[in-house]
Amino acid sequence: MTRALVTVLAVGLSATTLAGQFSLVSVEQEIEIGREANAQVRKEVPEVRDAAANQYLRALGQRLVQQATGPKYPYSFSMADYREINAFALPGGPIWIHRGVLHAATNESQVAGVLAHEVAHIAQRHAASQLTKGMMANLGLGLLGAVLGNGGGAGAAQAAAGFLANGVFLKFSRDDEREADQVGLQLLRRAGWDGRGMVELFEILQREAKRNPGSVELFFSSHPSPQDRISRLQAGLRPGGTRDTKQFQSVKARMLKMTPPRTMPRE
Ligand SMILES: [Zn+2]
């Protein structure tokens, strides 16, 4: 490690020790990066434009957000018109869930469990730590210095554009995934849902993997195996909380009547 790098890292550390976590990206920068990324996603991903479904999704999401700790991110919830069971979080707040999750789920707590996992990624600032790792691994000191020095989001946003093109943000570490499960389970329970919903969705994924491997491939490529996740979560599970609502069943019935969701294009 060169002396210059040590200096830059020290600046980064002193700037973020309050958060208790090493990050070269401020919350403001993270939000800016996520805003740009979300604009890009909106151009590329077909969105479900059904007022009732979107309103329902936002209501579920907001219940979880109220329980989230950490910075006050501008969380948003959108539905991609894709059939594959998947969801993803962008830095600083935007969350997307595939319509396929609502088709596969048999009760509300399962959908809330997927959202809780994504809210946890954001609340725990996993994107910021991925970005920090990416910057340290891939970028020259010049850019690192510029990002730290300019105080705004422009440098970081520019760097992020490059990472997003490589899908860096959508890949969290295994530890981040496990933490998102644990923290997500707590959010799910505190927001009043039955924590078993989260495990049930993993069981649906396992069944789906046997029946139709293509529909879950994406999920498996970016997440630990459902069996591993089920075993880790099981210890923290206690019955209690909401499992299902009439709203979920009516939104699901509504979506089953719509034009079927698309297959996500492969790279
Ligand atoms: Zn995840």
Side-chain angles (χ1 to χ4, degrees):
M1 194 181 278
T2 68
R3 207 150 120 206
L5 182 54
V6 172
T7 309
V8 171
L9 290 181
V11 171
L13 274 172
S14 65
T16 56
T17 35
L18 273 178
Q21 209 177 6
F22 173 61
S23 175
L24 294 173
V25 184
S26 70
V27 169
E28 291 71 25
Q29 286 171 330
E30 207 185 337
I31 291 170
E32 181 53 31
I33 291 165
R35 217 191 303 269
E36 297 202 7
N38 204 33
Q40 196 57 38
V41 168
R42 269 187 207 292
K43 279 186 206 151
E44 290 167 12
V45 170
E47 189 174 354
V48 173
R49 301 202 179 276
D50 178 86
N54 284 316
Q55 198 177 21
Y56 172 72
L57 178 66
R58 276 198 298 275
L60 294 191
Q62 284 311 319
R63 262 174 75 181
L64 294 161
V65 166
Q66 278 164 19
Q67 301 301 325
T69 54
K72 290 267 166 262
Y73 286 114
Y75 288 91
S76 65
F77 298 87
S78 312
M79 201 188 302
D81 201 9
Y82 286 140
R83 61 188 279 273
E84 293 80 9
I85 299 174
N86 200 33
F88 58 93
L90 296 171
I95 290 172
W96 286 77
I97 188 167
H98 285 197
R99 186 176 151 198
V101 175
L102 282 91
H103 283 237
T106 57
N107 67 52
E108 180 174 284
S109 68
Q110 297 165 3
V111 177
V114 171
L115 296 176
H117 174 95
E118 301 304 332
V119 169
H121 273 311
I122 291 172
Q124 300 298 113
R125 305 201 67 207
H126 290 162
S129 66
Q130 282 307 104
L131 181 62
T132 298
K133 278 184 214 154
M135 281 171 154
M136 304 215 311
N138 300 323
L139 293 180
L141 291 176
L143 186 47
L144 207 56
V147 168
L148 291 172
N150 72 5
Q158 208 171 22
F163 290 129
L164 281 169
N166 298 321
V168 168
F169 276 121
L170 307 182
K171 270 217 188 306
F172 295 118
S173 70
R174 302 240 133 188
D175 284 346
D176 284 353
E177 291 302 340
R178 283 174 187 143
E179 188 176 63
D181 279 349
Q182 295 298 341
V183 172
L185 177 61
Q186 289 164 23
L187 291 178
L188 185 63
R189 290 176 52 86
R190 283 209 300 269
W193 279 291
D194 189 329
R196 287 176 296 177
M198 195 179 257
V199 165
E200 286 166 10
L201 197 99
F202 297 148
E203 288 164 353
I204 291 172
L205 274 163
Q206 279 180 316
R207 285 199 295 275
E208 200 62 22
K210 287 192 192 113
R211 214 167 57 89
N212 181 6
S215 70
V216 293
E217 198 179 295
L218 186 69
F219 187 91
F220 281 85
S221 70
S222 58
H223 288 87
S225 82
Q227 193 49 58
D228 176 69
R229 300 174 75 185
I230 291 169
S231 326
R232 280 167 193 274
L233 285 176
Q234 221 115 39
L237 287 181
R238 264 162 255 102
T242 305
R243 283 182 61 71
D244 202 12
T245 61
K246 282 202 185 89
Q247 291 99 302
F248 170 75
Q249 294 300 341
S250 91
V251 166
K252 181 173 171 172
R254 202 180 159 84
M255 287 199 294
L256 288 172
K257 277 187 235 148
M258 285 159 49
T259 316
R262 308 181 205 186
T263 297
M264 195 179 163
R266 306 269 172 123
E267 299 283 301

